[in-house]
Each structure stands twice: as C-alpha cells, then as structure tokens.
Amino acid sequence: MQSESGTSSGSGDLDPVLYISSTASSLVVCCHVERGGMRFLCPASQDIDPLYVFAFLERFLSILEEYLQDLSLPVLKEHFDVVYQMLEEMMDDGKPLTTESNTLRDIVLPPSFFNKVLSVAGVSGLSTATPAPFSSPIPWRKAGVKHNKNEIYFDIAEDLDVIMARNGTLLSSTIWGKIDCNSRLSGTPDLNLSFINSKAFSDPSFHPCVRLQKFKQTSVVSFVPPDGNFVLMEYQVSPSTVTRGSTAISTGGLQNQMLNFIPLILKSKIEVTEKGGSFTLTLTPRSGSEQLKHRVGVENVEISLGLDQGAIGAFCSTSFNGGGQGFGGARDKEREDRAAGTWAWEPKEKTLKWTISSLGVPSASSTWTLKGTWTSTEQIPRPSRSIMMHFQTPHMLLSGIKVDQLKMSSEIYKPYKGVKIASKAAVEWRW
C-alpha cells in the first residue's frame, strides 16, 4: 500500500482499485473511497468483482451518514460502538447481510443525546422500546410506522454528458436519470407512480421495493416505500424516445435536438507561445435551445481549462455584453461585472476555472468573454485539448419525462405529494 501511494502525487491520483501481494503469494484487491476527508478501505479476494465492493462501501457510508449526520474523524471516534455494531450486522463472514436502513434501526439504535447521558450516568433499561428485529413482513419497512403529517416527495434529476467536436458537431451524448424519494407515510401504503413518456426509460434499476413484473407490463412503478430517504430508481434515457411536448424526435433530427439541450456555444482561441500562452473564451446563447424557448434560466455555469503541468500562474479578465439590453434592460457597470462571472487559478490542479452563478434568461445577442494569459516553466506548453463546461437548468428535465399521477391504496388518509425536477450537464468542447 505504501509503495502504491508513494508513486502518486496526491490521494486523488490513486487508482480506486489497488492490487497488493499477500503473504500467500496471491493478490488482494483493495477498493477505497474518500469521504469527509477520510479514506475508507475494503480488502477483498481477487475473484470478487470490485464493483460489488464499491456498492457495499457506498451503501455502508450512506447509512453511516443517516446515523451520524456527519462523517468526520471526531464523530467516528465518538460513536465507534455504533460503527462497530453496524459493520457486524451489515457484513457476515465477508458477505453483505443486512443493508436496509429501516431493518438496521431495529437492531442498532441510532446515537442520541438522551442515550449518551444515560450511558455516562450508568443508567440502563430506560431506552425507548422498539419492535423486535425482523418483526415486519416487509424487509425494508418497519412495522407500525406513524407520522403526524403524511407526505412524500420525489426529486427527479437528470445528467447530460456530451462531447463536442472541434467543428461544433455532436460526437456523443448520454442522459442519466435518478429519482430520489423521501417518504413520511404512516402504516403500510401501497403506491402506484405513473409517468408521461415512460418509454424513455432505458436500462432502469430499481429499489427492491418496486414490483418489477408490474413495471414490465404497465410501465407503472408500484411499490411499498421504505420510511425515510431512498433511491427509488435510476435510468438511462434512450435518445430515440426523447420528446418535447407530444412530438417524438426522428432519428435524423436527433443530433440537432440533442444540441438544443445545450443552451450555450463555446468558442475558443488558444495560442501557445514560449513558456506560456494566451486564450480567449467566448460564450453565446444557442438560438432555438430548449432553455430559451421555455424561458428556463441557466445557473452555476463553470468553464474549466486544464493548462500544462508546468503552469505557474494566469492573469484574466471577464466581460459581459447584454446585446444592448443587459439583464432586465439594466446597463449599470456593477451588474454587468457580476454577470460576467469570476475566474480562479487552481495551482494544485493546474486548471483555470471561470464561474458564472446565473445567466438568467439572456437575450440571443448576449456574450460572455474570458481573456487571459498564462506562464509556464515548460519551453513548449501543452494545455489540455478540451474545455469542460458544466451548467444546471432547474425546473426542467431533458428527457421530457413527467410524473402523471401517484395513487395510494391500503390506507384511508390523503398524503401531501411533492415533485421537484432539475437537470445538469457536462459538455466537453474539443478545440
């Protein structure tokens, strides 16, 4: 382990899967993830799929966060007994055993200030009565759940990954989706969630509570939810089923339609000189983009340009031209400077970042510009041949999927229902 870590300049450079020779002259796989400034390591035999190990690590850390609220070294030391009990219950003889949060809460009591006071005082036998473990017929849900307010919320988020060629054509694109659920419902509710354009779901994966056979037959997500937060489903969007309104996209017009999900066009001019270089990055709105059509704002725009390993510094300036209008017709200098965004040099990553917190709904003639130079210790610098752009579009899903209705049976109360949607994108512009 020391030899592996010693060859990399930082923890972020470590391969997430390390192969280490054991005393039995065979290899041991060590999978590790970083969370809360700590590195969690899980060794496994060579014949185990590393993805299996990472799935357990992610599950263990997510439950640990539910219990402790914060993952840090002092918190883990303070609640070491809880962490040890959770490992004992979640892992049995090297194999995952109990990984459902609701079941674990019946076995391992979450830490609380009241329990801590009783423990320090040496008082026992006064803890809150809990049902016997595994008493519920549903593994992921406790028996006798009661809430003063019955409510359920769905957060639907989609990620768009795009690679753009130098001439502006689309090389590849993928949309990934995820539905998070927060259920606070009493009793044992039986829910049926239906969608508009459910055909867009491709290769979906579900929480164990979902009835797979019913989804295959009717495309309705039928389930008895766990209590609390959980991931209901994850999916990939098939490009041929993306719709806008009630109109499906033909294969021939697919490329142009996917381009319309990218509200900005990035143009770059990068010149490399001896021990440095200069650059000009320009952002302009894409006419006909879905964000402009539906007047959906674009937020948290971040442009990243990786410079060469010998880069030692950069100097830049930003500017914004609202096309004679600015935001809301205002042309004051302070507001335009704020609209132009801010730049920062990351010396550790050798990366220049340009951040614009909000574009609002700009006019078609608006432009954002970043100009600058950088210096390097290398005689002929070699900056990255691609520029990364990230942005978010709240209140909009790229796939056209919409929640149609949520029906509940087996309970007589009417719950409050909420749905929140958002999309974000990562676009690689090659130059």
Side-chain angles (χ1 to χ4, degrees), residues 185-272:
L185 302 177
S186 303
T188 309
D190 198 327
L191 305 177
N192 287 281
L193 180 65
S194 58
F195 297 90
I196 296 175
N197 191 31
S198 59
K199 293 182 179 180
F201 292 135
S202 177
D203 298 327
S205 62
F206 299 95
H207 188 275
C209 67
V210 177
R211 301 180 179 96
L212 297 181
Q213 194 61 33
K214 186 169 183 178
F215 179 80
K216 291 179 180 179
Q217 295 174 353
T218 64
S219 298
V220 173
V221 180
S222 177
F223 62 104
V224 176
D227 189 49
N229 295 296
F230 66 100
V231 179
L232 178 62
M233 66 178 292
E234 295 179 283
Y235 58 90
Q236 183 178 358
V237 175
S238 176
S240 60
T241 59
V242 175
T243 65
R244 289 266 65 90
S246 59
T247 304
I249 303 169
S250 63
T251 305
L254 179 59
Q255 179 174 347
N256 292 332
Q257 183 65 28
M258 296 304 292
L259 285 175
N260 287 337
F261 289 128
I262 306 172
L264 300 170
I265 298 176
L266 176 64
K267 296 181 179 179
S268 60
K269 182 181 180 182
I270 301 177
E271 297 181 353
V272 178

Coordinates of all heavy atoms in Angstrom, one line a residue, residues 185-272:
L185 N -44.8 8.4 5.4 CA -46.2 7.9 5.4 C -46.5 6.9 6.5 O -45.6 6.0 6.7 CB -46.5 7.3 4.0 CG -46.3 8.2 2.8 CD1 -46.6 7.4 1.5 CD2 -47.2 9.4 2.8
S186 N -47.6 7.0 7.1 CA -48.0 6.1 8.2 C -48.5 4.8 7.6 O -49.0 4.7 6.5 CB -49.0 6.7 9.1 OG -48.6 8.0 9.6
G187 N -48.4 3.7 8.5 CA -49.0 2.4 8.1 C -48.1 1.7 7.0 O -46.9 1.8 7.0
T188 N -48.8 1.1 6.1 CA -48.2 0.3 5.0 C -48.8 0.8 3.7 O -49.7 0.1 3.1 CB -48.3 -1.2 5.2 OG1 -47.9 -1.5 6.5 CG2 -47.5 -1.9 4.2
P189 N -48.4 1.9 3.2 CA -49.0 2.4 2.0 C -48.6 1.7 0.7 O -47.4 1.3 0.6 CB -48.6 3.9 1.9 CG -47.3 3.9 2.6 CD -47.4 2.8 3.7
D190 N -49.5 1.4 -0.2 CA -49.2 0.8 -1.5 C -49.3 1.8 -2.5 O -50.4 2.3 -2.8 CB -50.1 -0.4 -1.7 CG -49.5 -1.4 -2.7 OD1 -48.9 -0.9 -3.7 OD2 -49.8 -2.6 -2.6
L191 N -48.2 2.2 -3.2 CA -48.2 3.3 -4.1 C -48.1 2.8 -5.6 O -47.4 1.8 -5.8 CB -47.1 4.3 -3.8 CG -47.1 4.8 -2.4 CD1 -45.8 5.7 -2.2 CD2 -48.3 5.6 -2.0
N192 N -48.7 3.6 -6.5 CA -48.5 3.4 -7.9 C -48.2 4.7 -8.6 O -49.0 5.6 -8.6 CB -49.8 2.8 -8.5 CG -50.0 1.4 -8.1 OD1 -49.5 0.4 -8.7 ND2 -50.9 1.1 -7.1
L193 N -47.0 4.8 -9.1 CA -46.5 6.0 -9.7 C -46.4 5.8 -11.2 O -45.7 4.9 -11.7 CB -45.1 6.4 -9.1 CG -44.4 7.6 -9.7 CD1 -45.2 8.9 -9.3 CD2 -43.0 7.7 -9.1
S194 N -47.1 6.7 -12.0 CA -47.1 6.6 -13.4 C -46.5 7.8 -14.0 O -46.5 8.9 -13.4 CB -48.6 6.4 -13.9 OG -49.4 7.5 -13.5
F195 N -46.0 7.7 -15.2 CA -45.2 8.8 -15.9 C -45.8 9.0 -17.3 O -46.4 8.1 -17.9 CB -43.7 8.4 -16.0 CG -43.0 8.2 -14.7 CD1 -43.0 7.0 -14.1 CD2 -42.4 9.3 -14.1 CE1 -42.3 6.9 -12.9 CE2 -41.7 9.2 -12.9 CZ -41.7 7.9 -12.3
I196 N -45.6 10.2 -17.8 CA -45.8 10.6 -19.2 C -44.5 10.3 -19.9 O -43.4 10.7 -19.4 CB -46.3 12.0 -19.3 CG1 -47.6 12.2 -18.7 CG2 -46.3 12.4 -20.8 CD1 -48.1 13.6 -18.7
N197 N -44.5 9.7 -21.1 CA -43.3 9.3 -21.8 C -42.4 8.3 -21.0 O -41.2 8.5 -21.0 CB -42.5 10.6 -22.2 CG -41.4 10.3 -23.2 OD1 -41.5 9.4 -24.0 ND2 -40.3 11.0 -23.1
S198 N -43.1 7.4 -20.4 CA -42.3 6.3 -19.7 C -41.5 5.5 -20.6 O -40.6 4.7 -20.1 CB -43.3 5.5 -18.9 OG -44.2 4.8 -19.7
K199 N -41.7 5.5 -21.9 CA -40.9 4.7 -22.9 C -39.5 5.2 -22.9 O -38.6 4.5 -23.5 CB -41.5 4.8 -24.3 CG -42.9 4.1 -24.4 CD -43.4 4.2 -25.8 CE -44.7 3.5 -26.0 NZ -45.3 3.6 -27.3
A200 N -39.2 6.4 -22.4 CA -37.9 6.9 -22.4 C -36.9 6.2 -21.5 O -35.7 6.3 -21.6 CB -37.9 8.4 -22.1
F201 N -37.5 5.5 -20.5 CA -36.7 4.7 -19.6 C -35.9 3.6 -20.3 O -36.5 2.8 -21.0 CB -37.5 4.1 -18.4 CG -38.1 5.1 -17.5 CD1 -39.5 5.0 -17.1 CD2 -37.4 6.2 -17.0 CE1 -40.0 6.0 -16.3 CE2 -37.9 7.1 -16.1 CZ -39.2 7.0 -15.8
S202 N -34.6 3.6 -20.2 CA -33.8 2.6 -20.8 C -32.9 2.0 -19.7 O -32.2 2.8 -19.0 CB -33.0 3.2 -21.9 OG -32.1 2.2 -22.5
D203 N -32.8 0.7 -19.6 CA -32.0 0.0 -18.6 C -32.2 0.6 -17.2 O -31.3 1.0 -16.5 CB -30.5 0.2 -18.9 CG -30.2 -0.5 -20.3 OD1 -30.8 -1.5 -20.6 OD2 -29.3 0.1 -21.0
P204 N -33.5 0.6 -16.7 CA -33.8 1.1 -15.4 C -33.3 0.1 -14.3 O -33.3 -1.1 -14.5 CB -35.3 1.3 -15.4 CG -35.8 0.3 -16.3 CD -34.7 0.2 -17.4
S205 N -32.9 0.7 -13.2 CA -32.6 -0.2 -12.0 C -33.5 0.4 -10.8 O -33.6 1.6 -10.7 CB -31.1 -0.1 -11.6 OG -30.7 1.2 -11.3
F206 N -34.0 -0.5 -10.0 CA -35.0 -0.1 -9.0 C -34.5 -0.5 -7.6 O -33.7 -1.4 -7.4 CB -36.3 -0.8 -9.3 CG -36.9 -0.4 -10.6 CD1 -36.7 -1.2 -11.7 CD2 -37.7 0.7 -10.7 CE1 -37.3 -0.9 -12.9 CE2 -38.3 1.0 -12.0 CZ -38.1 0.2 -13.1
H207 N -35.1 0.2 -6.7 CA -35.0 -0.2 -5.3 C -35.8 -1.6 -5.1 O -36.7 -1.8 -5.8 CB -35.7 0.8 -4.4 CG -35.5 0.6 -2.9 ND1 -36.3 -0.2 -2.1 CD2 -34.5 1.1 -2.0 CE1 -35.9 -0.2 -0.9 NE2 -34.8 0.6 -0.8
P208 N -35.3 -2.4 -4.2 CA -36.0 -3.7 -4.0 C -37.5 -3.6 -3.7 O -38.2 -4.6 -3.9 CB -35.3 -4.4 -2.8 CG -33.9 -3.7 -2.8 CD -34.1 -2.3 -3.3
C209 N -38.0 -2.5 -3.3 CA -39.4 -2.4 -3.0 C -40.3 -2.3 -4.3 O -41.5 -2.5 -4.2 CB -39.7 -1.1 -2.2 SG -39.4 0.5 -3.1
V210 N -39.7 -2.1 -5.4 CA -40.5 -2.0 -6.7 C -40.9 -3.4 -7.2 O -40.0 -4.3 -7.3 CB -39.8 -1.2 -7.7 CG1 -40.5 -1.1 -9.0 CG2 -39.5 0.3 -7.2
R211 N -42.1 -3.5 -7.7 CA -42.6 -4.8 -8.3 C -42.2 -4.8 -9.8 O -42.8 -4.0 -10.6 CB -44.1 -4.9 -8.1 CG -44.6 -4.9 -6.7 CD -46.1 -5.0 -6.6 NE -46.5 -5.0 -5.2 CZ -47.0 -3.9 -4.5 NH1 -47.0 -2.8 -5.2 NH2 -47.4 -4.0 -3.3
L212 N -41.2 -5.5 -10.1 CA -40.6 -5.5 -11.4 C -41.6 -6.0 -12.5 O -41.7 -5.4 -13.6 CB -39.3 -6.3 -11.5 CG -38.2 -5.8 -10.6 CD1 -37.0 -6.8 -10.7 CD2 -37.8 -4.4 -10.9
Q213 N -42.3 -7.0 -12.2 CA -43.2 -7.6 -13.2 C -44.3 -6.6 -13.6 O -44.6 -6.5 -14.8 CB -43.9 -8.9 -12.6 CG -44.6 -9.7 -13.7 CD -43.6 -10.2 -14.7 OE1 -42.4 -10.5 -14.5 NE2 -44.1 -10.4 -16.0
K214 N -44.8 -5.9 -12.6 CA -45.9 -4.9 -13.0 C -45.3 -3.8 -13.8 O -46.0 -3.2 -14.7 CB -46.5 -4.3 -11.7 CG -47.7 -3.4 -12.0 CD -48.4 -3.1 -10.7 CE -49.7 -2.2 -11.0 NZ -50.5 -1.9 -9.8
F215 N -44.0 -3.4 -13.6 CA -43.5 -2.3 -14.4 C -43.3 -2.8 -15.8 O -43.5 -2.0 -16.7 CB -42.1 -1.9 -13.8 CG -41.4 -0.8 -14.6 CD1 -41.8 0.5 -14.4 CD2 -40.4 -1.1 -15.4 CE1 -41.2 1.5 -15.2 CE2 -39.8 -0.1 -16.2 CZ -40.2 1.2 -16.1
K216 N -42.9 -4.0 -16.0 CA -42.7 -4.6 -17.3 C -44.0 -4.6 -18.1 O -44.0 -4.4 -19.3 CB -42.1 -6.0 -17.2 CG -40.6 -6.0 -16.7 CD -40.1 -7.4 -16.7 CE -38.7 -7.5 -16.2 NZ -38.2 -8.9 -16.1
Q217 N -45.1 -4.8 -17.4 CA -46.4 -5.0 -18.1 C -47.0 -3.7 -18.3 O -47.6 -3.5 -19.4 CB -47.3 -5.9 -17.3 CG -46.8 -7.3 -17.1 CD -47.6 -8.2 -16.2 OE1 -48.5 -7.6 -15.5 NE2 -47.3 -9.5 -16.1
T218 N -47.0 -2.7 -17.4 CA -47.7 -1.5 -17.4 C -46.9 -0.2 -17.4 O -47.5 0.9 -17.6 CB -48.7 -1.4 -16.3 OG1 -48.0 -1.4 -15.0 CG2 -49.6 -2.7 -16.3
S219 N -45.6 -0.3 -17.2 CA -44.7 0.8 -17.1 C -45.1 1.7 -15.9 O -44.7 2.9 -15.8 CB -44.7 1.7 -18.3 OG -44.2 1.0 -19.4
V220 N -45.8 1.1 -14.9 CA -46.1 1.8 -13.7 C -45.2 1.3 -12.6 O -45.0 0.1 -12.4 CB -47.6 1.6 -13.3 CG1 -47.9 2.2 -11.9 CG2 -48.5 2.2 -14.4
V221 N -44.7 2.3 -11.8 CA -43.8 1.9 -10.7 C -44.7 1.7 -9.5 O -45.2 2.6 -8.9 CB -42.8 3.0 -10.4 CG1 -41.9 2.6 -9.2 CG2 -41.9 3.3 -11.6
S222 N -44.9 0.4 -9.1 CA -45.7 0.0 -8.0 C -44.8 -0.4 -6.8 O -43.9 -1.3 -7.0 CB -46.6 -1.1 -8.4 OG -47.4 -1.6 -7.3
F223 N -45.0 0.1 -5.6 CA -44.1 -0.2 -4.5 C -44.7 0.2 -3.2 O -45.6 1.0 -3.1 CB -42.8 0.6 -4.7 CG -42.9 2.1 -4.7 CD1 -42.6 2.9 -3.6 CD2 -43.4 2.8 -5.8 CE1 -42.7 4.2 -3.6 CE2 -43.6 4.1 -5.8 CZ -43.2 4.9 -4.7
V224 N -44.2 -0.5 -2.1 CA -44.5 -0.1 -0.7 C -43.2 0.6 -0.3 O -42.1 -0.1 -0.1 CB -44.8 -1.3 0.2 CG1 -44.9 -0.9 1.6 CG2 -46.1 -1.9 -0.3
P225 N -43.2 1.9 0.0 CA -41.9 2.6 0.2 C -41.3 2.3 1.5 O -42.0 2.1 2.5 CB -42.3 4.0 0.0 CG -43.7 4.1 0.5 CD -44.3 2.8 0.1
P226 N -39.9 2.3 1.6 CA -39.3 2.4 2.9 C -39.6 3.7 3.6 O -40.1 4.7 3.0 CB -37.8 2.3 2.6 CG -37.7 1.8 1.2 CD -39.0 2.3 0.5
D227 N -39.4 3.8 4.9 CA -39.7 5.0 5.6 C -38.4 5.9 5.6 O -37.3 5.4 6.0 CB -40.0 4.7 7.1 CG -40.5 6.0 7.8 OD1 -41.4 6.7 7.3 OD2 -40.0 6.2 8.9
G228 N -38.5 7.1 5.1 CA -37.4 8.0 5.0 C -36.8 8.2 3.6 O -37.6 8.0 2.6
N229 N -35.5 8.5 3.5 CA -34.9 8.8 2.2 C -34.4 7.5 1.5 O -33.8 6.6 2.2 CB -33.8 9.7 2.4 CG -34.2 11.1 2.8 OD1 -35.0 11.8 2.1 ND2 -33.8 11.5 4.0
F230 N -34.6 7.3 0.2 CA -34.1 6.2 -0.5 C -34.1 6.6 -2.0 O -34.8 7.5 -2.4 CB -34.9 4.9 -0.2 CG -36.3 5.0 -0.8 CD1 -36.7 4.4 -2.0 CD2 -37.3 5.6 0.0 CE1 -38.0 4.4 -2.4 CE2 -38.6 5.7 -0.5 CZ -39.0 5.1 -1.7
V231 N -33.4 5.8 -2.8 CA -33.3 6.0 -4.2 C -34.4 5.0 -4.8 O -34.2 3.8 -4.8 CB -31.9 5.7 -4.8 CG1 -31.9 5.8 -6.3 CG2 -30.9 6.6 -4.2
L232 N -35.4 5.6 -5.4 CA -36.5 4.8 -6.0 C -36.0 4.0 -7.2 O -36.2 2.8 -7.4 CB -37.7 5.6 -6.3 CG -38.9 4.9 -6.9 CD1 -39.4 3.8 -6.0 CD2 -40.0 5.9 -7.3
M233 N -35.4 4.8 -8.1 CA -34.9 4.2 -9.4 C -33.8 5.0 -10.0 O -33.7 6.3 -9.8 CB -36.1 3.9 -10.4 CG -36.7 5.2 -10.9 SD -38.1 4.9 -12.0 CE -37.2 4.2 -13.5
E234 N -33.0 4.4 -10.9 CA -32.1 5.1 -11.7 C -32.3 4.6 -13.2 O -32.7 3.4 -13.3 CB -30.6 4.8 -11.3 CG -30.3 5.4 -9.9 CD -28.9 5.1 -9.5 OE1 -28.7 4.0 -9.0 OE2 -28.1 6.0 -9.6
Y235 N -32.0 5.4 -14.1 CA -32.3 5.0 -15.5 C -31.4 5.8 -16.5 O -30.8 6.8 -16.1 CB -33.8 5.3 -15.8 CG -34.2 6.7 -15.7 CD1 -34.1 7.6 -16.8 CD2 -34.7 7.2 -14.5 CE1 -34.4 9.0 -16.6 CE2 -35.1 8.5 -14.3 CZ -34.9 9.4 -15.4 OH -35.3 10.7 -15.3
Q236 N -31.3 5.2 -17.7 CA -30.7 5.9 -18.8 C -31.8 6.2 -19.8 O -32.7 5.4 -20.0 CB -29.6 5.0 -19.4 CG -28.8 5.6 -20.5 CD -27.8 4.7 -21.1 OE1 -27.6 3.6 -20.6 NE2 -27.1 5.2 -22.1
V237 N -31.6 7.3 -20.5 CA -32.7 7.8 -21.4 C -32.2 7.3 -22.8 O -31.1 7.6 -23.3 CB -32.9 9.3 -21.4 CG1 -33.8 9.7 -22.5 CG2 -33.3 9.7 -20.0
S238 N -33.1 6.6 -23.5 CA -32.9 6.2 -24.9 C -33.1 7.5 -25.8 O -34.2 8.0 -25.8 CB -33.8 5.1 -25.3 OG -33.7 4.8 -26.6
P239 N -32.1 7.9 -26.5 CA -32.2 9.1 -27.3 C -33.4 9.1 -28.3 O -34.0 10.1 -28.6 CB -30.9 9.2 -28.1 CG -29.9 8.4 -27.3 CD -30.8 7.3 -26.7
S240 N -33.7 7.9 -28.8 CA -34.8 7.9 -29.8 C -36.2 8.1 -29.2 O -37.1 8.3 -30.0 CB -34.8 6.5 -30.5 OG -34.9 5.5 -29.6
T241 N -36.2 8.1 -27.9 CA -37.6 8.3 -27.2 C -37.7 9.7 -26.6 O -38.7 9.9 -25.9 CB -37.8 7.2 -26.2 OG1 -36.7 7.3 -25.2 CG2 -37.8 5.8 -26.8
V242 N -36.7 10.5 -26.7 CA -36.7 11.9 -26.2 C -37.8 12.6 -26.9 O -37.9 12.6 -28.1 CB -35.4 12.6 -26.3 CG1 -35.5 14.0 -25.8 CG2 -34.3 11.8 -25.5
T243 N -38.7 13.3 -26.1 CA -39.8 14.1 -26.7 C -39.8 15.5 -26.1 O -39.3 15.7 -25.1 CB -41.1 13.4 -26.4 OG1 -41.4 13.5 -25.0 CG2 -41.2 12.0 -26.9
R244 N -40.4 16.4 -26.9 CA -40.7 17.7 -26.4 C -42.2 17.9 -26.6 O -42.6 17.9 -27.7 CB -39.9 18.8 -27.1 CG -38.4 18.7 -26.8 CD -38.0 19.7 -25.7 NE -38.6 19.4 -24.4 CZ -38.1 18.6 -23.5 NH1 -37.0 18.0 -23.7 NH2 -38.7 18.5 -22.3
G245 N -42.9 18.0 -25.5 CA -44.4 18.1 -25.6 C -44.9 16.7 -26.0 O -44.6 15.7 -25.4
S246 N -45.6 16.6 -27.1 CA -46.1 15.3 -27.6 C -45.5 14.8 -28.9 O -45.9 13.9 -29.5 CB -47.6 15.4 -27.8 OG -47.9 16.4 -28.8
T247 N -44.4 15.5 -29.2 CA -43.7 15.2 -30.5 C -42.5 14.4 -30.3 O -41.6 14.8 -29.6 CB -43.4 16.5 -31.3 OG1 -44.5 17.3 -31.4 CG2 -42.8 16.1 -32.6
A248 N -42.4 13.2 -30.9 CA -41.2 12.4 -30.8 C -40.2 12.9 -31.8 O -40.5 13.5 -32.8 CB -41.5 10.9 -31.0
I249 N -38.9 12.6 -31.5 CA -37.8 13.0 -32.3 C -37.4 11.9 -33.3 O -37.1 10.8 -32.8 CB -36.6 13.4 -31.5 CG1 -37.0 14.5 -30.5 CG2 -35.5 14.0 -32.4 CD1 -36.0 14.8 -29.5
S250 N -37.4 12.2 -34.6 CA -36.9 11.2 -35.5 C -35.4 11.0 -35.4 O -34.7 11.8 -34.9 CB -37.3 11.6 -36.9 OG -36.6 12.8 -37.3
T251 N -34.9 9.8 -35.9 CA -33.5 9.6 -35.8 C -32.7 10.6 -36.6 O -31.6 11.0 -36.2 CB -33.2 8.1 -36.4 OG1 -34.0 7.2 -35.7 CG2 -31.8 7.8 -36.2
G252 N -33.2 11.1 -37.7 CA -32.5 12.0 -38.5 C -32.3 13.3 -37.8 O -31.3 14.0 -37.9
G253 N -33.3 13.8 -37.0 CA -33.2 15.0 -36.3 C -32.7 14.9 -34.9 O -32.8 15.9 -34.2
L254 N -32.2 13.7 -34.5 CA -31.8 13.5 -33.2 C -30.6 14.4 -32.8 O -30.6 15.0 -31.7 CB -31.5 12.0 -33.0 CG -31.0 11.6 -31.6 CD1 -32.1 12.0 -30.5 CD2 -30.7 10.1 -31.5
Q255 N -29.6 14.5 -33.7 CA -28.4 15.2 -33.3 C -28.7 16.7 -33.1 O -28.3 17.3 -32.1 CB -27.4 15.1 -34.4 CG -26.1 15.9 -34.2 CD -25.0 15.6 -35.2 OE1 -25.2 14.7 -36.0 NE2 -24.0 16.4 -35.2
N256 N -29.5 17.3 -34.0 CA -29.9 18.7 -33.8 C -30.7 18.9 -32.5 O -30.6 19.9 -31.8 CB -30.7 19.2 -35.0 CG -29.9 19.2 -36.3 OD1 -28.6 19.4 -36.2 ND2 -30.5 19.1 -37.4
Q257 N -31.6 17.9 -32.2 CA -32.4 18.1 -31.0 C -31.5 18.0 -29.7 O -31.7 18.8 -28.8 CB -33.5 17.0 -30.9 CG -34.4 17.1 -29.8 CD -35.3 18.3 -29.8 OE1 -35.6 18.8 -30.9 NE2 -35.6 18.8 -28.6
M258 N -30.6 17.1 -29.7 CA -29.7 17.0 -28.5 C -28.8 18.2 -28.4 O -28.5 18.7 -27.3 CB -28.8 15.8 -28.7 CG -29.6 14.4 -28.6 SD -30.6 14.2 -27.2 CE -29.4 14.1 -25.9
L259 N -28.5 18.9 -29.5 CA -27.7 20.1 -29.5 C -28.6 21.2 -28.8 O -28.0 22.1 -28.2 CB -27.3 20.5 -30.9 CG -26.1 19.8 -31.5 CD1 -25.9 20.2 -32.9 CD2 -24.8 20.0 -30.6
N260 N -29.9 21.1 -29.0 CA -30.7 22.2 -28.5 C -30.9 22.1 -27.0 O -31.4 23.0 -26.3 CB -32.1 22.1 -29.1 CG -32.2 22.6 -30.5 OD1 -31.3 23.3 -31.0 ND2 -33.1 22.1 -31.3
F261 N -30.4 21.0 -26.4 CA -30.4 21.0 -24.9 C -29.2 21.7 -24.3 O -29.1 21.9 -23.1 CB -30.3 19.5 -24.4 CG -31.6 18.8 -24.7 CD1 -31.7 17.6 -25.3 CD2 -32.8 19.3 -24.2 CE1 -32.9 16.9 -25.5 CE2 -34.0 18.7 -24.4 CZ -34.0 17.4 -25.1
I262 N -28.2 22.1 -25.2 CA -27.0 22.8 -24.8 C -27.3 24.3 -25.0 O -27.3 24.7 -26.2 CB -25.8 22.3 -25.5 CG1 -25.6 20.8 -25.3 CG2 -24.5 23.1 -25.0 CD1 -24.5 20.2 -26.2
P263 N -27.6 25.1 -24.0 CA -28.1 26.5 -24.3 C -27.0 27.4 -24.7 O -27.2 28.6 -25.1 CB -28.7 26.9 -22.9 CG -27.9 26.1 -21.9 CD -27.6 24.8 -22.6
L264 N -25.7 27.0 -24.6 CA -24.6 27.9 -24.8 C -23.6 27.3 -25.9 O -23.5 26.1 -26.0 CB -23.8 28.2 -23.5 CG -24.6 28.8 -22.4 CD1 -23.8 28.8 -21.1 CD2 -25.0 30.2 -22.7
I265 N -23.0 28.2 -26.7 CA -22.0 27.8 -27.6 C -20.7 28.4 -27.1 O -20.6 29.6 -26.8 CB -22.3 28.3 -29.0 CG1 -23.6 27.7 -29.5 CG2 -21.2 28.0 -30.0 CD1 -24.0 28.3 -30.9
L266 N -19.7 27.5 -27.0 CA -18.4 28.0 -26.5 C -17.4 28.1 -27.7 O -17.2 27.1 -28.4 CB -17.8 27.0 -25.4 CG -16.4 27.3 -24.9 CD1 -16.4 28.6 -24.2 CD2 -16.0 26.2 -24.0
K267 N -16.8 29.2 -27.9 CA -15.8 29.4 -28.9 C -14.5 29.7 -28.2 O -14.5 30.6 -27.3 CB -16.2 30.5 -29.9 CG -17.4 30.2 -30.7 CD -17.8 31.3 -31.7 CE -19.0 30.9 -32.5 NZ -19.4 32.0 -33.5
S268 N -13.4 29.1 -28.7 CA -12.1 29.3 -28.0 C -11.0 29.7 -29.1 O -11.1 29.2 -30.2 CB -11.7 28.0 -27.3 OG -11.6 26.9 -28.1
K269 N -10.1 30.5 -28.6 CA -8.9 30.8 -29.4 C -7.7 30.7 -28.4 O -7.6 31.6 -27.5 CB -9.0 32.2 -30.0 CG -7.8 32.6 -30.9 CD -8.0 34.0 -31.4 CE -6.8 34.4 -32.3 NZ -6.9 35.7 -32.8
I270 N -6.9 29.7 -28.6 CA -5.8 29.4 -27.7 C -4.5 29.4 -28.5 O -4.4 28.7 -29.5 CB -6.0 28.1 -26.9 CG1 -7.3 28.1 -26.1 CG2 -4.8 27.8 -26.0 CD1 -7.6 26.8 -25.4
E271 N -3.6 30.3 -28.1 CA -2.3 30.4 -28.7 C -1.2 30.0 -27.7 O -1.1 30.6 -26.7 CB -2.1 31.8 -29.3 CG -3.1 32.2 -30.4 CD -2.8 33.6 -30.9 OE1 -1.9 34.3 -30.3 OE2 -3.5 34.0 -31.9
V272 N -0.4 29.1 -28.1 CA 0.8 28.6 -27.3 C 2.0 29.3 -27.8 O 2.4 29.3 -28.9 CB 0.9 27.1 -27.4 CG1 2.1 26.7 -26.5 CG2 -0.4 26.4 -26.9

